[in-house]
Amino acid sequence: MIKIQPINTRDLKLIQQRAFSIRVKIDVYDEKSNTHLDQLEGGIQNAAFTISAESDVRRTVSLTVTPLKNNHLRLEKDSVIWMNRIIRLEIGIYDHHYETWHWYPQGVYVFTDYGASYNAETNTLSLSLSDLWANLDGSRSGQVGGAADISFPAYEEDPDTGEIIMCYTIRDAVRTTLTQLGGLSESRIQLDEIGELKGMPQYNPDYLQYREESKILLKDGSAMPLWNTLPYDQEFNAGSTIASILTTLRDLYPNYEMYFDEYGNFICRMIPSCFDDEAVLDHAFFDRIYISENTSVNMTGVRNICEVWGKTIDADFYTDNCTYSGGCYSCHADAYPASHQSGIHIAVKIPSANETGAALRVNDSESLPIFDENTEAPVTANVMEAGQVYVFRIKKKYAEGSTVTRAYLLGQFQPHAVDILTNGAALTKDYFQQLYHCNIIHFTVIPDSPFCIEELGLLPDVKTGGEYENITSDSLALARAEYENWKNSRLTDSINITTKLCPFADINIKVSYRRKDTGQINQYLVKSISHDPAGGTTSWTLMRFYPPAAQNP
């Protein structure tokens, strides 16, 4: 288990000492063998340690130090500092009470443009470093060669019967990429599951039940969860970077992050919402270390509506030969299998709007209940309009001890959803459905948001193409629209403050802060940090935290 060190009272007392002595420790390792080559300590002439939640390369460093030992320091192939070294950095604060140095890890780094120089006359060593993501994205290494293409199949079939005998999870694909292509040790990898939001505890209090129901019985009789499996085959060309493979897998579902932490561990997890978290640092603490603040709102970046268009679905079968009677759509599709197979996509032009709990029958196969993929419930009345083409995904699921087969309504040929930020005023979906020609409308309610449509009017942001091509259903489009609207309407409301140096600070934590211009105490999320040890300061970018109200589906 990878350990994350909590902030404790000693940390808080250290940075409030009147006498403030700071050093940097540089541990140098051989890249291939992980052998510890040397350790340098020194005073800091100038430095910038930056941590950003908005970049895959989360940590970067520009540093000039005066080494305490320099008798063997050279910049050449057989020396300590060279382009293929791994650099581990720590900032030290002298504890006058215990008369010892207390060290804080600041990350594990590599040289990108070989940013290193040493001046023997002034005894100054300068380093420019990026964290280990640079070994994956091509900045230093990371391109994949030796194969025509790289593929991760969503599932494996029995060649004789076509039955699914194995499904593959997104997490396993990430792990394989890291270990086999990236050369990372299993012990340095911490991966949470990546999958449907309904299968995650952060989004669904009944996630265990959903995971249990989201299963398929395989040929050998075992039950395989589907909520966290690859939704479709993933293929990458030779020359792709490891980072591009990882981010493609990560972005199959919204609100996940990948990064290297301060110990050089690879982390993949959901971006913390901090909804239920206590403030890690409170306003009283910031009052004691405060230096300055700058409040800003990026008005040009504020949006309160997000419209997402997903991937155009290439259906396996299409038919307009369809009738509707007794709550069941009966259609004929040439070459459709005699029995339903999980994963098939069939597009049907329907003759009539649906009733609640409608069903779908193809050729002479059994009729299947039509379910809404977003709610995991039978479709409600009039979700589908007469004369329109809708795509259904046939999916087998595990429920109540047996496998059930359902037809999941994905929507029309291209997934489409809209999320709207509102303060809770009485709104109807009909207006927005007509405005955006979209049936999937969601209201995110935050009563005290200054960016809602009632305050600023309609400020839309349309997402299409690129990474949004990973979205294969209306439910995924809606989840992404909610996430993007969250970013658009909150990341722009920020405050920048400067405090005494806090080398233990990290991003994506909740803090409380008293604004000096208004005296108002608010909660914030830390989105970026920059340490200046030479000046003894830390600069923080804090994003205003707005707790959510009830979400209207």
Side-chain angles (χ1 to χ4, degrees):
M1 174 66 73
I2 296 170
K3 296 182 179 179
I4 305 299
Q5 297 296 325
I7 299 171
N8 56 47
T9 55
R10 184 185 181 187
D11 300 321
L12 304 182
K13 289 179 180 179
L14 271 178
I15 68 168
Q16 295 179 67
Q17 298 176 115
R18 292 186 178 180
F20 208 47
S21 300
I22 302 171
R23 279 185 186 174
V24 66
K25 184 190 294 182
I26 305 170
D27 283 289
V28 184
Y29 294 81
D30 179 82
E31 180 184 45
K32 295 182 179 179
S33 64
N34 287 323
T35 302
H36 186 253
L37 301 177
D38 203 352
Q39 183 181 93
L40 305 173
E41 287 187 28
I44 303 173
Q45 290 197 4
N46 59 72
F49 291 73
T50 301
I51 314 170
S52 173
E54 302 306 307
S55 173
D56 291 325
V57 181
R58 177 160 291 200
R59 298 170 181 270
T60 57
V61 173
S62 177
L63 175 69
T64 299
V65 300
T66 304
L68 301 180
K69 299 185 301 179
N70 65 355
N71 57 325
H72 62 290
L73 191 56
R74 304 181 308 277
L75 301 185
E76 54 188 49
K77 184 176 70 172
D78 297 323
S79 183
V80 174
I81 303 297
W82 190 239
M83 63 181 65
N84 64 342
R85 304 299 190 227
I86 301 292
I87 306 295
R88 187 182 298 268
L89 297 178
E90 295 179 79
I91 291 176
I93 297 179
Y94 189 73
D95 189 329
H96 290 275
H97 180 75
Y98 291 100
E99 297 183 342
T100 185
W101 288 91
H102 192 68
W103 296 96
Y104 295 95
Q106 296 300 310
V108 181
Y109 300 89
V110 295
F111 298 102
T112 49
D113 296 322
Y114 189 44
S117 63
Y118 176 66
N119 187 319
E121 182 176 343
T122 60
N123 185 31
T124 54
L125 174 66
S126 298
L127 304 175
S128 181
L129 308 165
S130 296
D131 71 25
L132 297 178
W133 192 268
N135 277 342
L136 306 177
D137 68 1
S139 297
R140 186 172 181 274
S141 60
Q143 276 195 308
V144 180
D149 54 52
I150 302 149
S151 62
F152 294 98
Y155 55 85
E156 183 179 345
E157 295 179 338
D158 185 308
D160 297 323
T161 65
E163 292 180 272
I164 296 177
I165 58 177
M166 177 60 69
C167 298
Y168 297 98
T169 67
I170 303 172
R171 183 170 69 170
D172 284 346
V174 171
R175 188 182 301 278
T176 298
T177 302
L178 289 168
T179 56
Q180 297 187 14
L181 300 180
L184 269 68
S185 166
E186 287 273 3
S187 63
R188 311 308 301 177
I189 300 172
Q190 178 176 299
L191 305 179
D192 287 351
E193 291 285 3
I194 301 176
E196 299 174 26
L197 297 184
K198 288 175 288 187
M200 299 300 292
Q202 297 93 327
Y203 281 82
N204 182 6
D206 299 321
Y207 74 97
L208 289 176
Q209 179 181 347
Y210 180 78
R211 290 183 181 187
E212 182 64 25
E213 293 177 350
S214 179
K215 289 183 178 180
I216 181 174
L217 282 179
L218 301 179
K219 184 179 180 181
D220 63 3
S222 62
M224 177 76 191
L226 293 178
W227 71 274
N228 59 347
T229 56
L230 290 164
Y232 49 89
D233 295 347
Q234 302 293 313
E235 296 185 356
F236 305 92
N237 298 325
S240 299
T241 65
I242 298 169
S244 67
I245 297 173
L246 292 172
T247 54
T248 297
L249 295 171
R250 178 195 68 194
D251 294 339
L252 288 171
Y253 293 95
N255 211 23
Y256 288 85
E257 63 179 356
M258 292 176 170
Y259 64 95
F260 285 92
D261 70 5
E262 64 267 40
Y263 302 99
N265 302 313
F266 183 92
I267 309 293
C268 174
R269 63 173 185 173
M270 293 203 76
I271 298 173
S273 66
C274 299
F275 288 158
D276 301 318
D277 296 352
E278 297 293 330
V280 177
L281 299 169
D282 64 17
H283 58 277
F285 168 73
F286 280 108
D287 286 344
R288 291 193 292 271
I289 62 172
Y290 166 83
I291 295 175
S292 66
E293 79 173 22
N294 177 32
T295 305
S296 64
V297 175
N298 178 9
M299 299 303 295
T300 60
V302 172
R303 297 290 184 270
N304 52 26
I305 295 176
C306 186
E307 179 181 14
V308 171
W309 293 88
K311 179 181 181 179
T312 301
I313 299 172
D314 185 13
D316 302 298
F317 301 93
Y318 168 79
T319 179
D320 57 6
N321 184 356
C322 181
T323 60
Y324 186 62
S325 176
C328 181
Y329 294 102
S330 298
C331 62
H332 177 81
D334 293 337
Y336 190 88
S339 60
H340 297 294
Q341 295 180 9
S342 192
I344 283 179
H345 291 79
I346 180 169
V348 181
K349 185 175 182 179
I350 64 171
S352 306
N354 67 288
E355 302 170 31
T356 298
L360 175 70
R361 183 174 183 176
V362 184
N363 298 345
D364 295 325
S365 62
E366 63 174 319
S367 63
L368 303 178
I370 300 174
F371 270 60
D372 183 290
E373 193 175 53
N374 186 45
T375 63
E376 277 291 324
V379 291
T380 56
N382 301 314
V383 170
M384 296 179 285
E385 299 177 4
Q388 300 296 317
V389 176
Y390 292 92
V391 181
F392 302 88
R393 176 160 51 208
I394 309 303
K395 185 189 293 186
K396 297 179 184 292
K397 298 198 71 173
Y398 187 70
E400 299 179 356
S402 63
T403 298
V404 297
T405 306
R406 297 168 177 167
Y408 282 89
L409 174 63
L410 301 185
Q412 295 182 290
F413 275 111
Q414 187 173 18
H416 186 201
V418 178
D419 181 73
I420 299 162
L421 177 63
T422 170
N423 64 12
L427 299 172
T428 63
K429 292 184 179 180
D430 293 345
Y431 169 77
F432 293 100
Q433 288 172 337
Q434 294 179 23
L435 180 64
Y436 291 102
H437 304 286
C438 177
N439 289 327
I440 310 302
I441 300 294
H442 178 269
F443 296 133
T444 293
V445 181
I446 301 180
D448 60 347
S449 174
F451 305 129
C452 59
I453 60 172
E454 291 83 2
E455 297 288 339
L456 298 180
L458 307 185
L459 299 175
D461 180 23
V462 181
K463 303 291 188 183
T464 184
E467 63 187 280
Y468 303 97
E469 288 289 314
N470 294 324
I471 296 171
T472 56
S473 72
D474 285 344
S475 63
L476 291 179
L478 177 59
R480 190 57 181 264
E482 292 179 59
Y483 172 60
E484 295 291 347
N485 213 22
W486 177 85
K487 291 197 302 182
N488 287 342
S489 60
R490 270 157 273 193
L491 290 181
T492 51
D493 187 3
S494 63
I495 184 170
N496 299 305
I497 66 172
T498 302
T499 67
K500 293 184 66 175
L501 181 67
C502 296
F504 48 78
D506 206 350
I507 57 178
N508 283 336
I509 61 173
K510 185 194 289 184
V511 301
S512 69
Y513 176 74
R514 188 198 316 271
R515 284 179 50 169
K516 300 305 178 285
D517 56 349
T518 65
Q520 185 178 8
I521 298 172
N522 296 317
Q523 290 186 326
Y524 294 86
L525 301 180
V526 181
K527 300 313 293 181
S528 68
I529 287 171
S530 182
H531 301 306
D532 176 11
T537 63
T538 293
S539 297
W540 311 64
T541 298
L542 308 179
M543 180 191 73
R544 177 75 182 275
F545 175 76
Y546 293 100
Q551 303 294 297
N552 295 333

